[in-house]
Amino acid sequence: MTASTSPSAAPTAVVPTASPDTAPQPLTPDQLHATTTSLTVEPGAEPVLSPPGAPQTVAAATTAAAWQSNKKVLALWTNNADRNGYAYVDGVGWKRLATNSDSVHEALLALASSGRLAGSITYPEAADGLVHEIYLW
């Protein structure tokens, strides 16, 4: 036997009535400014701690173009700012990844992550102190 359903047994939707207290109100100029102002993060935000097991002394920064070969990535760091990723390179310290475009930054972050998991990286020291290319094997 099949159960019969009648249209009168269906639940009815109850629409709440709007009270003057809960009715939408226009925004004040201060509220409008607060909602349209974007949050900016300081571009100088960078990691301040070393990863566990990392040496406490970091090699001095060089100004001449040099290659860092067969280096292990010990840690990665980023925050909610755009293009603000760092890799902690063994014996070198925190190195910021290139910030010239989102796609370059994401690719370098993926390579640094792969270097952290499975191998060593080689990269040239740039005059601006950023990592612009990574060779991984």
Side-chain angles (χ1 to χ4, degrees):
M1 290 198 148
T2 60
S4 65
T5 58
S6 64
S8 62
T12 58
V14 177
V15 179
T17 58
S19 68
D21 295 337
T22 60
Q25 301 293 321
L27 294 175
T28 66
D30 290 337
Q31 292 171 328
L32 184 61
H33 178 71
T35 59
T36 58
T37 304
S38 64
L39 176 66
T40 58
V41 178
E42 291 183 30
E46 58 187 36
V48 293
L49 298 176
S50 297
Q56 296 302 317
T57 59
V58 176
T62 60
T63 56
W67 285 80
Q68 296 291 337
S69 298
N70 297 323
K71 296 293 185 176
K72 180 76 176 161
V73 176
L74 298 178
L76 297 170
W77 182 89
T78 189
N79 64 4
N80 64 345
D82 292 340
R83 304 177 192 164
N84 196 35
Y86 289 78
Y88 190 92
V89 181
D90 189 22
V92 177
W94 288 107
K95 296 297 292 184
R96 188 171 187 184
L97 303 177
T99 59
N100 50 339
S101 76
D102 288 339
S103 59
V104 168
H105 188 77
E106 293 296 322
L108 288 172
L109 190 58
L111 286 170
S113 177
S114 295
R116 182 180 184 281
L117 295 174
S120 62
I121 64 168
T122 297
Y123 67 93
E125 289 282 344
D128 60 2
L130 302 179
V131 176
H132 292 278
E133 54 188 298
I134 291 177
Y135 298 90
L136 173 67
W137 50 84

